[in-house]
Amino acid sequence: MPDYDVIVVGGGINGLTAATYLGKAGLKVLVVEARGECGAHCDTTEPGLPGFAHNLHATWLITAMSPAMSDLDLPRFGLEMLATEVAYGKTFADGKNALIHQDPTRTMENWGRHSAKDLAMMEAGAAYLLPKVEEMVATLHQYLYEAPNWKNELAMSRFAEGFFKEMGLGLTFADLRNMNGFQIMDRIFESEHLKTLIESLSWISGLPPIHRTIGSFGCAFLSMLVGPFIPVHYSHGGSHAVTHALVKAATHHGVKILPCCPIKEILVENGQANGVVLSEHAVFPNEKITAKVVISNLTVKPTFLDFIGAATIGEEMANRIDRFSYSEQNLFGVYYALSGQPRFASEAFDPAIGRCAMGYFGGKDSKELIDYNASLVSGRINDEVIANWFIPTLADPSQAPAGCHTSFVWFDVPPAPVSWKHGPLNGLPSWDKIKDRLADQVTDTYEKYAPGFKSLVKDRILYTPLDMQRNNPSAVEGNWVGGSVIPEQYYENRPVPGVLQGGGSRTFIKNLYLSNSIHPFGTTWLASGYIAATEVAKDLGVLEQDWWNAKACIWYLENLEDIPLNRGVK
């Protein structure tokens, strides 16, 4: 008899999601985690001054749109969502800002100051979409929380084409697939302030606008979903609260979690997975543990190349997996402990940006963002800092001492840079040599948009792609979504054609499933873990559960008005 029904390798949030669903469904589930605690990419720590908590990975949480909020009752296990009244903002060197409020009427006020044409477009879009909320929710659930298939893509295409027709844009879904995000923004918006607002939001959502299909999907659908349909949240105590809630829910439903237990092998015998062997460094050295099913929450390369091996999977498949890219969606982070709140110069244009916990600076127009992306894909660190900023303490003041704040900047970079404006570089090892100088440039850029920022800085923590890989070797090159989101690694092609067979998580090795590096990609919406749980439950005959019925966004829409706003705003 196997020791367990299911072994989940890796206690990241999507692995925990799969484990918790399956434990609640009555299966005997084990999670083996290499680190001392779960949630490597959903973590909150104090790496510098005591009392200043920093979210080194996930911060912008979209967990509220997940079916797991209801199915697993995560609020019961301590997950409290918080927000600021402005969900997202972009501040510009010309003194203006473009904002997306939780309240769409306030968004319209801000957008109307940039373009009457774009305001009219938004008003028409809202009038079309609001009566179709149920259809929109059903379409999103099918597209994000089910395995890729042509029926779900067709439903998405019909919804998009209805919107485009109502807007008078003359676009088809085929057009959307063949355009990139910058091209679709030129068709929808007039104002460069609003174009770059949506382009930057798509970029940091993991859907870079430079790419065909991916960028156009991101920009088009984020344009539709402005206002209350963009669930930008934080959690009380930091993003690790998502991990804590999942761990509590998992153990409540009988899941066993073994920390400090790295593996050295996923057992594959007679063409099927049947367990793991722990490393000699585990608290149970070299222990062999068997199961009916193994779910790997590691990314695709370590899963197959490090823990199964080319001798088992074959050279052709090993070579295909080895070409899987991790070189986009990589971040250089600068984390600040501050004596007060940064004040952007653009508050003079619209003071609401002072009640915004997440935004972007740099890139005055689409051309600058296109040039920035050209630097990224060529392996060059961009000359100018164009980056995503956060002030999470505006939503959750518990992350800093009274009167103080935390803030940080995420600058998209090539993980193995070959050059920057100061000269040639030698790839991933370069980060230890250049990080301080680049952090100074990031700080100077923050000062440019928020005069007086430097005088607030009490402490600074740097976190490079190399540091991220050291912290979590499964995050190859420090990639934060389980592998690059690029056209050849998107939707039905994710992670690599041939790896998945008969669904969204079932692999070509019988009884081995993935909850990482699969569609849609690994973020706090918990979709990859949900898809893996659904397919394992179906295959083991436990999918039919009365409680397993929530849909995407329903919890969020039902609880929207109860989510506290501006707790850290003075």
Side-chain angles (χ1 to χ4, degrees):
M1 290 289 291
D3 298 311
Y4 291 89
D5 295 314
V6 181
I7 294 175
V8 178
V9 180
I13 54 175
N14 278 286
L16 289 171
T17 298
T20 307
Y21 267 98
L22 296 172
K24 189 174 179 179
L27 298 178
K28 186 180 180 183
V29 181
L30 172 70
V31 176
V32 290
E33 166 57 37
R35 301 184 348 141
E37 61 179 318
C38 295
H41 273 188
C42 204
D43 202 9
T44 305
T45 62
E46 292 187 9
L49 289 179
F52 289 89
H54 298 283
N55 305 291
L56 297 182
H57 294 276
T59 296
W60 167 21
L61 303 178
I62 47 179
T63 315
M65 73 181 291
S66 174
M69 289 295 288
S70 296
D71 285 342
L72 305 181
D73 200 5
L74 296 183
R76 173 191 171 195
F77 295 102
L79 183 58
E80 180 185 7
M81 308 308 296
L82 305 172
T84 49
E85 70 177 74
V86 180
Y88 185 70
K90 192 168 187 293
T91 188
F92 294 84
D94 65 4
K96 296 181 180 180
N97 58 54
L99 308 177
I100 299 176
H101 283 257
Q102 302 283 357
D103 178 354
T105 61
R106 298 295 307 279
T107 303
M108 292 179 188
E109 291 174 11
N110 178 271
W111 287 25
R113 299 178 67 184
H114 296 287
S115 167
K117 176 177 176 290
D118 293 343
L119 172 60
M121 178 74 71
M122 183 187 179
E123 290 173 335
Y128 175 76
L129 292 173
L130 285 174
K132 297 181 178 293
V133 169
E134 290 186 7
E135 179 185 350
M136 182 165 57
V137 165
T139 303
L140 280 173
H141 183 89
Q142 291 167 354
Y143 194 78
L144 294 177
Y145 290 91
E146 295 181 6
N149 64 76
W150 70 269
K151 289 183 178 180
N152 291 346
E153 193 166 22
L154 180 61
M156 182 65 81
S157 71
R158 287 172 174 166
F159 190 85
E161 288 183 353
F163 177 81
F164 295 146
K165 182 178 180 181
E166 186 71 18
M167 299 300 99
L169 295 173
L171 290 168
T172 66
F173 196 70
D175 294 329
L176 199 63
R177 292 187 66 95
N178 291 316
M179 298 169 75
N180 67 31
F182 296 112
Q183 293 166 333
I184 199 75
M185 287 294 91
D186 283 339
R187 295 286 292 271
I188 295 177
F189 291 117
E190 173 182 71
S191 164
E192 287 293 335
H193 291 85
L194 301 183
K195 287 180 188 178
T196 58
L197 174 74
I198 300 299
E199 288 160 0
S200 64
L201 181 57
S202 183
W203 198 311
I204 67 176
S205 300
L207 299 167
I210 196 66
H211 290 305
R212 183 179 59 84
T213 304
I214 292 169
S216 61
F217 280 16
C219 288
F221 289 105
L222 286 169
S223 299
M224 293 185 205
L225 302 177
V226 292
F229 300 112
I230 296 183
V232 177
H233 296 114
Y234 310 86
S235 54
H236 179 70
S239 59
H240 203 50
V242 176
T243 303
H244 287 167
L246 285 165
V247 166
K248 291 176 183 177
T251 54
H252 175 80
H253 292 296
V255 175
K256 185 174 183 178
I257 300 175
L258 291 182
C260 301
C261 282
I263 68 165
K264 66 178 178 183
E265 182 183 356
I266 295 174
L267 292 169
V268 177
E269 299 175 354
N270 299 319
Q272 62 184 41
N274 63 6
V276 300
V277 179
L278 301 183
S279 159
E280 60 271 22
H281 304 295
V283 292
F284 303 104
N286 303 308
E287 186 82 9
K288 178 180 177 181
I289 310 173
T290 60
K292 297 176 183 176
V293 159
V294 176
I295 301 174
S296 176
N297 196 54
L298 309 178
T299 62
V300 66
K301 274 191 181 181
T303 296
F304 289 99
L305 303 184
D306 297 342
F307 298 118
I308 298 177
T312 299
I313 66 175
E315 290 295 334
E316 192 277 333
M317 180 60 79
N319 288 334
R320 194 184 304 175
I321 292 170
D322 193 47
R323 291 194 293 271
F324 182 75
S325 171
Y326 292 85
S327 62
E328 293 188 35
Q329 288 85 41
N330 310 77
L331 301 169
F332 173 65
V334 186
Y335 296 78
Y336 302 96
L338 303 175
S339 61
Q341 179 184 341
R343 314 302 311 207
F344 291 105
S346 65
E347 283 191 44
F349 176 79
D350 188 335
I353 198 169
R355 302 185 293 281
C356 178
M358 180 183 74
Y360 208 84
F361 49 50
K364 72 176 187 296
D365 54 30
S366 296
K367 182 183 182 305
E368 286 196 354
L369 289 181
I370 292 171
D371 292 344
Y372 175 27
N373 197 92
S375 294
L376 283 176
V377 298
S378 66
R380 175 181 172 82
I381 297 174
N382 199 61
D383 289 351
E384 302 299 322
V385 172
I386 298 174
N388 180 202
W389 52 263
F390 287 85
I391 314 172
T393 42
L394 291 178
D396 178 23
S398 75
Q399 297 180 45
C404 296
H405 285 272
T406 63
S407 183
F408 64 92
V409 174
W410 277 343
F411 182 26
D412 273 83
V413 292
V418 297
S419 66
W420 67 328
K421 62 184 179 182
H422 299 292
L425 299 170
N426 67 332
L428 194 63
S430 303
W431 286 108
D432 286 340
K433 297 179 180 179
I434 69 172
K435 61 184 179 182
D436 287 291
R437 193 171 185 181
L438 184 57
D440 289 342
Q441 186 181 348
V442 170
T443 304
D444 289 342
T445 304
Y446 208 141
E447 175 77 18
K448 172 185 173 182
Y449 289 94
F453 171 76
K454 287 184 178 181
S455 67
L456 302 174
V457 177
K458 297 167 66 69
D459 189 26
R460 187 176 80 176
I461 307 295
L462 310 184
Y463 201 49
T464 72
L466 179 57
D467 295 325
M468 295 181 193
Q469 180 175 282
R470 288 166 174 158
N471 179 57
N472 179 12
S474 178
V476 179
E477 297 183 332
N479 190 281
W480 62 271
V481 288
S484 302
V485 184
I486 52 180
E488 57 268 34
Q489 294 179 183
Y490 182 69
Y491 204 55
E492 70 274 11
N493 292 326
R494 192 163 181 84
V496 174
V499 167
L500 300 182
Q501 295 183 4
S505 73
R506 300 181 184 95
T507 75
F508 63 95
I509 295 176
K510 184 176 175 58
N511 297 335
L512 177 64
Y513 301 72
L514 299 181
S515 59
N516 200 339
S517 294
I518 64 172
H519 170 77
F521 45 87
T523 73
T524 59
W525 52 25
L526 309 179
S528 299
Y530 181 92
I531 289 171
T534 301
E535 294 187 349
V536 170
K538 182 176 181 180
D539 293 347
L540 295 185
V542 297
L543 183 57
E544 300 302 321
Q545 305 280 334
D546 292 340
W547 54 267
W548 194 333
N549 53 28
K551 300 299 181 185
C553 297
I554 295 299
W555 183 94
Y556 170 60
L557 293 173
E558 291 176 345
N559 293 274
L560 173 63
E561 294 182 358
D562 297 326
I563 295 173
L565 301 177
N566 301 338
R567 279 189 175 174
V569 173
K570 300 296 184 183

